[in-house]
């Protein structure tokens, strides 16, 4: 690393260290189509931004990275729900107007980070894999689906979460055409990329890997919460370290 780049990286790490709260959180803000008048605002405690930031700095050699990571992981563990699941914000937090279910995106980002740093948490892979649809996409929301019936306790957990958060799946008069804020079957390439980052390549995930490769090569990536295809390609670069399929895809880009 040249001197100028090293100085820039050090400045960024020092900034992150100063921005991290005492609890280990990096505060997330959101802009919701159902409440545009609010602009960007704090969601209440959320694992999303913290997990993303921590993952991005994992391979940086700097004396403060370990401290930032340890504080951040402790914060993420404090937000863990039953069965090793995470959601974008906590229920009834007094800030957001409605609750959200547990989701694949937050769960896989946090799980990948905790696993990388040697932390233990409940095995959540069955419930994540049950969220694969027929087209080999990972549905964003962890909701009661037919595949979960094999695990009655998990099905009941997800059903209760669905009831708590049902408002986001109902027509919203504040959105054009009264569309709901979210859909039961929401999926997108970035969520699948995060799921594969955590799950890795195995018999159960190979069809999903093939699907995301095809989508990238054909330029047909479905993006909803993420607005840039580079996010998917960047995470594919991380996955390709372990994945034969994605290493092949990477060669085709070069």
């Amino acid at each position: 690393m040249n001197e100028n780049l090293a100085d820039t990286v050090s400045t960024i790490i020092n900034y992150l260290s100063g921005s991290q709260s005492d609890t280990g959180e990096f505060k997330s803000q959101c802009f919701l189509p159902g409440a545009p008048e609010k602009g960007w605002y704090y969601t209440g405690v959320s694992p999303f931004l913290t997990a993303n930031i921590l993952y991005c700095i994992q391979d940086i050699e700097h004396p403060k990275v370990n401290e930032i990571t340890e504080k951040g992981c402790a914060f993420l563990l404090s937000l863990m729900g039953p069965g090793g699941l995470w959601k974008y914000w906590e229920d009834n937090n007094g800030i957001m107007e409605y609750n959200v279910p547990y989701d694949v995106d937050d769960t896989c980002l946090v799980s990948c980070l905790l696993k990388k740093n040697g932390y233990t948490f409940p095995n959540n892979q069955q419930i994540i894999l049950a969220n694969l649809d027929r087209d080999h996409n990972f549905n964003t929301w962890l909701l009661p689906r037919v595949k979960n019936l094999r695990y009655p306790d998990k099905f009941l957990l997800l059903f209760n979460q669905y009831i708590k958060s049902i408002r986001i799946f109902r027509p919203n008069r504040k959105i054009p055409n009264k569309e709901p804020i979210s859909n039961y079957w929401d999926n997108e390439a970035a969520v699948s990329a995060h799921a594969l980052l955590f799950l890795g390549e195995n018999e159960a995930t190979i069809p999903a890997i093939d699907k995301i490769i095809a989508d990238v090569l054909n330029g047909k990536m479905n993006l909803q919460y993420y607005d840039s295809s580079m996010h998917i390609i960047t995470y594919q670069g991380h996955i390709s370290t372990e994945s034969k399929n994605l290493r092949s895809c990477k060669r085709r880009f070069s």
Side-chain angles (χ1 to χ4, degrees), residues 41-93:
Y41 63 99
Y42 178 53
T43 62
V45 291
S46 168
F48 182 76
L49 186 61
T50 300
N52 271 283
I53 289 175
L54 294 182
Y55 191 84
C56 288
I57 66 174
Q58 287 303 287
D59 297 325
I60 295 176
E61 294 184 6
H62 188 282
K64 290 187 178 180
V65 168
N66 285 342
E67 177 187 348
I68 294 171
T69 299
E70 288 179 6
K71 287 175 62 178
C73 286
F75 167 73
L76 295 172
L77 284 167
S78 74
L79 298 181
M80 183 175 67
L85 305 179
W86 282 264
K87 58 176 60 182
Y88 194 76
W89 61 73
E90 293 184 311
D91 292 343
N92 307 314
N93 66 4

Side-chain angles (χ1 to χ4, degrees), residues 125-133 138-139 145 147-148 150-151:
Q125 295 193 16
Q126 288 178 334
I127 202 167
I128 294 168
L129 287 169
N131 241 44
L132 269 171
D133 67 18
F138 283 90
N139 293 123
R145 305 182 192 278
K147 291 181 181 178
N148 297 128
R150 289 175 287 180
Y151 319 109

